[in-house]
């Protein structure tokens, strides 16, 4: 048996009729930008997350960029202010900060959950620290109770990076409603994936939502009247319609991901493979199922030989990227260990029990 890490064709084939209906609805409407489909998706996704507002944008990176940009415009942030962020995140999180002329403060993650270590935050708070940007990595929320407590103590904003956590909960509250604002990516491989790039911001903040709706549309609420030097980052009608169709299935898909993860947690029994840990009060949605092994490359080669597709999320930490060469000499030992050891096993809503059994067997027969 051989199967890929992720089969997007098979995932989307399940909704073929609904997706074609959505496409036809948009095609026949004659309205393709910021119309009824975007309005409906924003309303439905806000209801799903439990927030007052959802603002559709072009992609997940721009969702984070525009949150920070809006707060700059509203005076809650100033250029040069510091934003605390996990050192092991994907580079997009950092790009959103530096694009706004803000300063990332990299903080090590918790080795068990891979999320921002809330206990380390306090030591990194300085006179210009104005926000915390936790990333709900791999489909599990960060320790938002502790993070919000630190933020309240110091009067800081909290921005969730929800790119990998559609539907995840912390303390019964969904990701996207756990901070002051949240950026969401609907990249095709996400738990809620579009058929192209798409993103959104969720928030309870009326003023922020109002600013975002203008900023995404050339800085304009009314045609030809521009109150900000905005951008073009509009969730288009087609992607909104497709996402509406797929939103109906997300909870069922996430439950199947949990069942697969449950089997992996119970049945993978190898002394050299470290399984993930679920944080207190968390309900993950397992965007990816990440294990660690000191001989990671050997494990990946073994799984490949058994027909099991895997990926590495992510091979190079942000502080070692050429894009941030000024940080290349810094040392973040926990982050570096994670990036050196992690391997993502296949997990998706179209995996079969037989395939899950094959992954377990391949892991357990590895000779480290």
């Amino acid at each position: 048996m051989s199967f890929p890490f992720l089969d997007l064709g098979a995932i989307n084939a399940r909704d073929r009729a609904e997706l074609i209906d959505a496409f036809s609805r948009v095609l026949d409407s004659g309205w393709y930008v910021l119309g009824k489909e975007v309005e409906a998706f924003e309303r439905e996704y806000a209801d799903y997350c439990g927030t007052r507002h959802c603002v559709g944008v072009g992609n997940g990176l721009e969702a984070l960029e525009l949150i920070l940009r809006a707060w700059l415009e509203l005076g809650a942030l100033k250029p040069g202010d510091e934003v605390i962020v996990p050192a092991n995140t994907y580079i997009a999180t950092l790009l959103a900060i530096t694009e706004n002329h803000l300063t990332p403060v990299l903080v090590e993650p918790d080795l068990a959950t891979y999320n921002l270590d809330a206990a380390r935050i306090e030591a990194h708070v300085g006179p210009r620290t104005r926000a915390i940007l936790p990333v709900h990595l791999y489909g599990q929320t960060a320790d938002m109770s502790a993070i919000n407590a630190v933020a309240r103590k110091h009067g800081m904003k909290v921005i969730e990076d929800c790119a990998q956590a559609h539907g995840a909960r912390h303390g019964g509250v969904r990701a996207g409603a756990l901070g002051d604002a949240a950026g969401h990516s609907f990249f095709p491989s996400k738990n809620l994936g579009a058929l192209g790039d798409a993103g959104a911001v969720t928030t309870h903040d009326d003023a922020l939502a109002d600013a975002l709706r203008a900023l995404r549309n050339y800085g304009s609420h009314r045609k030809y009247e521009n109150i900000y030097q905005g951008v073009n980052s509009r969730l288009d009608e087609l992607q909104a319609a497709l996402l509406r169709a797929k939103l109906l299935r997300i909870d069922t898909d996430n439950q199947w991901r949990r069942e697969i993860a449950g089997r992996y947690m119970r049945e993978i029994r190898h002394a050299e493979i470290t399984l993930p840990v679920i944080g207190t009060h968390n309900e993950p949605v397992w965007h990816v199922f990440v294990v660690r092994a000191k001989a990671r490359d050997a494990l990946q080669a073994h799984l490949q030989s058994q027909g099991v597709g895997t990926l590495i999320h992510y091979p190079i930490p942000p502080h070692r990227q050429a894009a941030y060469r000024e940080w290349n000499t810094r040392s973040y030992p926990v982050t570096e260990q994670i990036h050196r050891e992690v391997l993502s096993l296949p997990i998706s809503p179209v995996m079969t029990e037989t395939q899950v059994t094959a992954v377990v067997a391949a892991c357990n027969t590895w000779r480290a």
Side-chain angles (χ1 to χ4, degrees), residues 239-267:
Q239 296 300 343
L242 299 173
L243 286 166
R244 291 182 69 198
K246 298 184 75 173
L247 183 59
L248 299 174
R249 190 192 281 273
I250 187 172
D251 285 338
T252 301
D253 282 355
N254 283 342
Q255 181 56 36
W256 182 235
R257 288 174 179 271
R258 290 188 186 99
E259 292 180 25
I260 295 171
R263 283 199 59 192
Y264 285 164
M265 297 282 271
R266 292 190 303 273
E267 298 177 27

Side-chain angles (χ1 to χ4, degrees), residues 191 249-268 275-276 278 283-289 345-357 359-360:
N191 291 37
R249 190 192 281 273
I250 187 172
D251 285 338
T252 301
D253 282 355
N254 283 342
Q255 181 56 36
W256 182 235
R257 288 174 179 271
R258 290 188 186 99
E259 292 180 25
I260 295 171
R263 283 199 59 192
Y264 285 164
M265 297 282 271
R266 292 190 303 273
E267 298 177 27
I268 294 176
L275 297 170
I278 299 175
E283 298 174 48
V285 292
W286 304 105
H287 171 60
V288 287
F289 188 93
L345 303 182
I347 187 167
S348 86
V350 296
M351 280 188 73
T352 65
E353 292 278 11
T354 301
Q355 290 173 329
V356 176
T357 298
V359 175
V360 171

Side-chain angles (χ1 to χ4, degrees), residues 187-200:
F187 187 76
S189 63
K190 304 300 185 184
N191 291 37
L192 179 61
L195 300 189
D197 271 323

Side-chain angles (χ1 to χ4, degrees), residues 27-343:
L27 178 64
D28 295 342
S29 76
W31 192 286
Y32 307 120
V33 177
L34 292 184
K36 292 181 179 179
E37 296 293 342
V38 169
E39 290 175 2
F41 174 72
E42 289 177 337
R43 182 173 59 253
E44 291 160 8
Y45 195 63
D47 287 346
Y48 179 76
C49 292
T51 57
R52 281 205 299 273
H53 303 282
C54 170
V55 181
V57 298
N59 55 65
L61 170 57
E62 289 171 356
L64 295 175
E65 284 181 350
L66 289 173
I67 292 168
L68 295 168
R69 170 72 186 282
W71 275 329
L72 285 162
E73 295 286 357
L74 295 171
L77 297 174
K78 295 179 181 179
D81 282 347
E82 295 176 348
V83 180
I84 287 174
V85 65
N88 64 316
T89 186
Y90 182 58
I91 197 170
T93 318
L94 298 178
L95 292 173
I97 298 170
T98 55
E99 177 66 18
N100 280 290
H101 305 290
L102 299 166
T103 304
V105 176
L106 276 60
V107 175
E108 290 269 55
D110 179 345
L111 186 59
T113 66
Y114 309 119
N115 278 323
L116 178 62
D117 188 343
R120 296 176 185 262
I121 294 175
E122 193 84 38
H124 292 82
V125 175
R128 294 211 64 180
T129 310
R130 296 288 182 269
I132 306 174
L133 207 172
V135 180
H136 303 321
L137 201 60
Y138 307 149
Q140 176 171 204
T141 65
D143 185 355
M144 296 303 294
S145 299
I147 289 169
N148 283 328
V150 175
R152 285 192 300 270
K153 178 180 177 181
H154 295 280
M156 295 187 291
K157 298 287 190 183
V158 175
I159 310 108
E160 302 170 73
D161 184 335
C162 294
Q164 301 184 7
H166 310 134
R169 287 187 174 93
H170 177 83
V173 178
R174 286 196 199 274
L178 291 163
D180 295 291
H184 304 254
S185 168
F186 305 120
F187 187 76
S189 63
K190 304 300 185 184
N191 291 37
L192 179 61
L195 300 189
D197 271 323
V201 175
T202 54
T203 184
H204 295 298
D205 187 328
D206 297 340
L208 177 65
D210 186 66
L212 288 166
R213 293 186 192 283
L215 284 167
R216 71 173 176 184
N217 187 37
Y218 301 104
S220 174
H221 285 304
R222 184 178 300 171
K223 195 169 185 178
Y224 304 130
E225 295 182 16
N226 305 84
I227 56 177
Y228 303 116
Q229 296 178 23
V231 298
N232 178 357
S233 180
R234 302 174 297 206
L235 175 63
D236 69 64
E237 285 286 282
L238 178 57
Q239 296 300 343
L242 299 173
L243 286 166
R244 291 182 69 198
K246 298 184 75 173
L247 183 59
L248 299 174
R249 190 192 281 273
I250 187 172
D251 285 338
T252 301
D253 282 355
N254 283 342
Q255 181 56 36
W256 182 235
R257 288 174 179 271
R258 290 188 186 99
E259 292 180 25
I260 295 171
R263 283 199 59 192
Y264 285 164
M265 297 282 271
R266 292 190 303 273
E267 298 177 27
I268 294 176
R269 290 288 180 266
H270 194 298
E272 299 300 320
I273 297 177
T274 301
L275 297 170
V277 173
I278 299 175
T280 305
H281 308 305
N282 278 1
E283 298 174 48
V285 292
W286 304 105
H287 171 60
V288 287
F289 188 93
V290 176
V291 299
R292 285 191 295 113
K294 293 187 184 303
R296 185 264 312 282
D297 293 346
L299 173 59
Q300 185 175 39
H302 169 74
L303 293 175
Q304 181 66 34
S305 74
Q306 300 299 303
V308 176
T310 61
L311 286 179
I312 298 171
H313 294 91
Y314 304 97
I316 305 173
H319 71 282
R320 293 291 171 84
Q321 298 284 358
Y324 291 107
R325 55 180 55 85
E326 66 272 24
W327 300 343
N328 287 175
T329 58
R330 293 185 185 181
S331 177
Y332 296 95
V334 178
T335 292
E336 289 155 17
Q337 180 181 353
I338 287 171
H339 286 261
R340 190 169 58 245
E341 296 181 354
V342 290
L343 185 66

